[in-house]
Amino acid sequence: MIVITGANGQLGRLVVQQLLQCGVAPGQIVAAVRSPAKAADLAALGLQLREADYNRPETLDSAFAGATQLLLISSSEVGQRLPQHRAVVEAARRAGVAHLAYTSLLHADRSPLGLAAEHVATEALIAASGLPHTLLRNGWYTENYLASVPAALQHGAFIGSAGEGRIASAARADYAAAAAAVLTRPAPPSAAASTVLELAGDGGYTLAELAGELSRRSGRSVPYVNLPQADFAAALKGGGLPGPLAELLADSDAGAAQGGLFDDGRQLSALIGRPTEPMAEGLARMLAAG
């Protein structure tokens, strides 16, 4: 039995799709979600639907009962992740889960991104649990930057603070395929055999190159404008983003400038058995969709 936490989120739904495409029977998949009422479509696929609220540890024991494989998709509540993840890891240990996979951050142990701290602490919790595990250290989703395309087209500039840092992003679906591949192969025989996977896209690009591709495909001039981190955060807040999110995105761009979002090991494409989706293809699909 495979349990997916946050199964009705953007990544979780893609992992479910990938598992089904791999031939996993729907009845072997548990969609563990905070609000089952919002995941009726997953139940309609034949999945088991169970309540699993990171903030209510009492829901986790029943959610994980009978699980052999558990995918802990990191919480979206930055700043609250560690206690939430601790509750999941402790429940997984009580449930006797044979293998825990966790979506961490690329090179979390040496990443310059502020996001890394909670991931590093979670990885330590998992290691201390004694559970056989796989750390899926995911790089950036291409969609993270494509989300800025509408504003860039509207204002005639793509702004950021990543400088000349190269970004080896991949589509969210590529990372979902990696998670599914890990969950459908034999579990590590022991905690000592646990693995760390540094997952990133096959190629790299700068934000100036992304802006150039956007200009080419849209037929409009959209230059990249590099800003100091504080100015980029201020611009994001001025555009309506909540302060904490704006600060997080600006910090991540600054980390990218230091190489924090680049890796050329190609472990992701090796794991999924195909090349990762190039940034240009994701951009073309987005523009075609309007």
Side-chain angles (χ1 to χ4, degrees):
M1 185 181 296
I2 301 173
V3 177
I4 311 296
T5 71
N8 60 339
Q10 290 179 298
L11 179 63
R13 287 180 180 274
L14 290 171
V15 173
V16 167
Q17 292 175 16
Q18 290 289 335
L19 288 171
L20 294 173
Q21 290 175 20
C22 289
V24 178
Q28 291 180 277
I29 304 172
V30 173
V33 299
R34 177 176 295 180
S35 302
K38 297 180 180 179
D41 59 317
L42 296 178
L45 294 174
L47 276 61
Q48 300 182 55
L49 206 59
R50 297 180 184 174
E51 181 183 9
D53 188 334
Y54 295 160
N55 293 318
R56 295 172 57 226
E58 66 272 16
T59 66
L60 301 178
D61 287 332
S62 56
F64 300 164
T68 51
Q69 300 260 14
L70 172 65
L71 174 63
L72 168 54
I73 294 179
S74 57
S75 166
S76 61
E77 298 178 54
V78 177
Q80 301 298 316
R81 285 171 160 172
L82 188 55
Q84 293 174 336
H85 294 170
R86 179 183 289 109
V88 172
V89 172
E90 290 177 351
R93 184 175 49 78
R94 290 193 299 271
V97 169
H99 177 221
L100 170 65
Y102 170 64
T103 59
S104 187
L105 178 69
L106 184 66
H107 297 299
D109 55 339
R110 57 180 176 84
S111 174
L113 277 70
L115 276 174
E118 288 180 304
H119 287 297
V120 170
T122 299
E123 290 184 3
L125 285 175
I126 293 171
S129 74
L131 291 170
H133 58 272
T134 301
L135 301 179
L136 300 164
R137 286 183 170 170
N138 290 350
W140 226 229
Y141 302 144
T142 304
E143 290 88 344
N144 291 350
Y145 280 120
L146 296 186
S148 300
V149 165
L153 290 172
Q154 178 183 352
H155 298 292
F158 195 107
I159 64 173
S161 56
E164 294 299 313
R166 299 195 67 76
I167 299 151
S169 71
R172 187 177 277 109
D174 292 332
Y175 293 106
V182 166
L183 294 169
T184 52
R185 67 186 187 185
S190 67
S194 298
T195 55
V196 178
L197 299 173
E198 304 290 354
L199 304 178
D202 289 341
Y205 57 88
T206 64
L207 291 189
E209 290 169 347
L210 189 160
E213 187 68 21
L214 175 57
S215 298
R216 186 177 73 81
R217 291 185 178 272
S218 67
R220 299 165 58 181
S221 176
V222 187
Y224 173 60
V225 178
N226 196 65
L227 300 173
Q229 181 179 342
D231 292 352
F232 181 39
L236 292 174
K237 294 173 190 175
L241 285 186
L245 178 58
E247 295 290 349
L248 182 152
L249 292 175
D251 174 83
S252 298
D253 253 28
Q258 301 175 57
L261 297 180
F262 182 76
D263 179 88
D264 58 3
R266 300 202 172 200
Q267 291 189 43
L268 177 53
S269 55
L271 181 59
I272 64 179
R274 59 170 174 77
T276 60
E277 180 184 75
M279 172 271 289
E281 289 187 15
L283 176 60
R285 186 177 65 254
M286 178 185 183
L287 292 174

